[in-house]
Every structure is written in structure tokens, then in C-alpha cells.
Amino acid sequence: SFTCMCSEGYEYNEDTDTCNDIDECDTKCDMNEPNVNSCSNTDGSFTCNCNIGYAYNANTDACADINECDTMCQDANVDRCVNTLGSYICSCSSGYEYIADTDTCDDVNECDTTCNGDNAICANTDGSYTCECEAGYQFTGLDTCGDVNECST
């Protein structure tokens, strides 16, 4: 007497005396799970495709959340990264804005919105800016320059 053994992903068929591929998509990749996108049976194996932000976990046969903070938001000017289900939130330090396409924190040019009035001189710096008034002018409010009355001094 003998026993036939099949490789992983196959089962023995006594009627045909052959090893047949098992469709693991029927048992391993639950299409009713909300984070499963699709399952592809392959010869002797399968591929369970999860939604963005999830990865297949062979130990649990389920799509598990990926902690994107392990690989994303690595820019030097990142203030913090918060993992969320299927995604993440990246916050930059003050003076920077997060650019998702490049996964970087880019300097904000504060001179576009601040210290841009008449007689003001703005210089954008890395993560900040400096604001000065032209000669003969002084600050009259936040980043606003007004004429100095030299006759009153």
C-alpha cells in the first residue's frame, strides 16, 4: 500500500490519481471582508489583494491595517504622523505644509500673505520669514509699515 502526497496548494484526487490545485480564494481570502479588494487563485497558491492602506496577513487570513507612519512622513520637518485605519495623517512643523504627492514638508512662503504691504520688506526663510520696514517707515501693526513723522521727534 502507498500514500500519495501533494505539494502545498494541491490536494490528492483518488479518482484521477492526480494532485489538483486548491482554490484558496474559497477559504483563505474572505471576499465578504470590507478591506478585501480581490482574490486571484494561482497554480498552487493565491494572491489576496487588499484595499489601499491594508495588507494581507497570512496568519489571520485577513487584510490588516498598515502603519503608514513606519514608511511615510519621514521628512525632517514632519511634526507628527498619526496612523488611521487604511490611511494616515501627516502634520508638518510650523512654517511648512505637507505635500502628499512627494511625502515632504515644503516651506511656506509667508511673504505671499504676510508682510506684503506698502513699504514692507519681506524675506522668506526656511520655515519662517523676516519683515522690515523701508527707511523712513516703522511698524504700525503686525507686519504693517507706516510713515515716520520725523518732525515730531
Side-chain angles (χ1 to χ4, degrees):
S1 169
F2 67 93
T3 304
C4 285
M5 300 291 290
C6 296
S7 299
E8 187 174 343
Y10 296 90
E11 63 187 353
Y12 181 68
N13 183 327
E14 290 180 18
D15 296 336
T16 60
D17 196 30
T18 59
C19 291
N20 296 332
D21 177 51
I22 298 171
D23 187 352
E24 292 89 353
C25 290
D26 290 340
T27 58
K28 299 256 184 187
C29 190
D30 184 0
M31 292 302 295
N32 293 320
E33 185 189 329
N35 300 313
V36 173
N37 185 293
S38 65
C39 185
S40 302
N41 189 52
T42 59
D43 198 20
S45 189
F46 72 105
T47 303
C48 189
N49 300 302
C50 301
N51 292 333
I52 293 172
Y54 294 85
Y56 182 70
N57 182 328
N59 294 328
T60 62
D61 287 331
C63 291
D65 177 55
I66 297 169
N67 185 351
E68 291 87 354
C69 293
D70 290 341
T71 57
M72 303 299 286
C73 294
Q74 301 298 307
D75 188 278
N77 295 306
V78 167
D79 183 47
R80 70 184 210 150
C81 182
V82 177
N83 186 53
T84 62
L85 285 177
S87 191
Y88 65 100
I89 299 168
C90 192
S91 305
C92 298
S93 302
S94 179
Y96 297 89
E97 64 182 337
Y98 182 66
I99 309 298
D101 292 344
T102 57
D103 189 39
T104 56
C105 291
D106 287 359
D107 178 53
V108 173
N109 186 351
E110 292 86 357
C111 295
D112 290 342
T113 57
T114 306
C115 185
N116 56 2
D118 293 340
N119 308 305
I121 303 168
C122 186
N124 188 52
T125 61
D126 195 25
S128 190
Y129 70 102
T130 59
C131 187
E132 298 176 2
C133 294
E134 292 177 353
Y137 294 87
Q138 66 184 8
F139 286 113
T140 57
L142 181 64
D143 298 338
T144 305
C145 299
D147 184 38
V148 173
N149 185 351
E150 289 86 0
C151 295
S152 67
T153 54

